[in-house]
Amino acid sequence: MILTIYKSIERVIITIVIGFSEMQQRVKEESSHFAVRARDKEGDSLFEEFVLDEGYETKFRSYFYSAQGELIEYISAYLKNMPTESELIETDKAGDEDWVIQLPMPHSFNESLAKPVGIKIEDFVETYIMYKWLEMKDENAASKYLATAEKLKSEINANLNKRYGGIERPNRYW
């Protein structure tokens, strides 16, 4: 994950880059840890069936984009009024498949929470991909990953709403 904070006169812009290959490695490791414990009724290992490795790159890509859609929908209030392409992103750091999130926050946003927000977003993507991968293989494990993903979404939202001052609202005189 690459995290940058840019301060302008109007707002603070948090840019988070979730790397495709780094996330693929994280999910491969997580699925490997899960697969070590997976056994069938006879006690045989199901390691090969549960590891999401490079052999399933198309499936991983689909889940990666699905996680993006799930989270973008949830944090869309923070993403409005930002251009799709921005001069704030250094294109040599972000690959074609990397996910770039720009969150324009008010000046009263507690900047010390930018890194925890980035970490939780990264954890959400990993957890959601694991949920999608296990959805048809092991419903009990998938439901645990989904519950964790939902908890992470609400923690992301809570951190994005924390301010060191009051929430800025435009004045209305009517």
Side-chain angles (χ1 to χ4, degrees):
M1 173 186 70
I2 300 170
L3 174 76
T4 57
I5 300 173
Y6 172 79
K7 290 184 182 183
S8 71
I9 295 171
E10 302 88 35
R11 63 183 97 198
V12 174
I13 300 173
I14 302 168
T15 303
I16 303 165
V17 180
I18 307 291
F20 181 86
S21 57
E22 290 85 5
M23 184 55 65
Q24 190 174 26
Q25 184 62 34
R26 280 182 63 158
V27 170
K28 179 181 174 183
E29 289 172 9
E30 177 67 22
S31 64
S32 296
H33 292 305
F34 177 82
V36 165
R37 299 182 305 266
R39 303 268 179 208
D40 63 8
K41 293 179 182 177
E42 290 80 34
D44 298 329
S45 174
L46 297 172
F47 189 82
E48 294 296 322
E49 183 179 335
F50 284 102
V51 176
L52 180 58
D53 58 9
E54 292 83 6
Y56 297 101
E57 187 166 338
T58 304
K59 194 58 108 171
F60 175 81
R61 182 175 286 109
S62 169
Y63 295 153
F64 186 66
Y65 295 142
S66 179
Q68 290 177 30
E70 183 73 20
L71 192 61
I72 288 291
E73 195 174 289
Y74 193 73
I75 62 172
S76 63
Y78 299 100
L79 301 172
K80 61 185 176 184
N81 299 325
M82 287 297 291
T84 306
E85 296 296 322
S86 173
E87 66 277 357
L88 302 174
I89 302 171
E90 296 179 27
T91 53
D92 60 331
K93 287 187 178 179
D96 289 342
E97 295 181 323
D98 295 348
W99 183 25
V100 180
I101 309 163
Q102 288 188 315
L103 301 168
M105 305 302 292
H107 276 287
S108 61
F109 175 70
N110 188 347
E111 290 177 40
S112 64
L113 294 173
K115 187 168 185 175
V117 165
I119 291 168
K120 287 181 187 302
I121 287 175
E122 200 172 40
D123 289 346
F124 170 81
V125 172
E126 176 186 345
T127 304
Y128 191 80
I129 291 171
M130 283 298 297
Y131 153 69
K132 293 297 280 182
W133 174 245
L134 294 173
E135 193 173 30
M136 296 304 224
K137 298 176 182 293
D138 186 341
E139 289 180 23
N140 291 332
S143 66
K144 290 177 185 176
Y145 278 103
L146 180 60
T148 303
E150 292 297 323
K151 182 178 180 238
L152 285 167
K153 273 197 319 191
S154 58
E155 289 174 1
I156 290 165
N157 190 34
N159 282 345
L160 288 174
N161 284 319
K162 290 182 181 170
R163 310 282 189 268
Y164 62 81
I167 295 178
E168 298 169 9
R169 291 189 173 86
N171 293 331
R172 312 243 179 202
Y173 299 109
W174 64 83

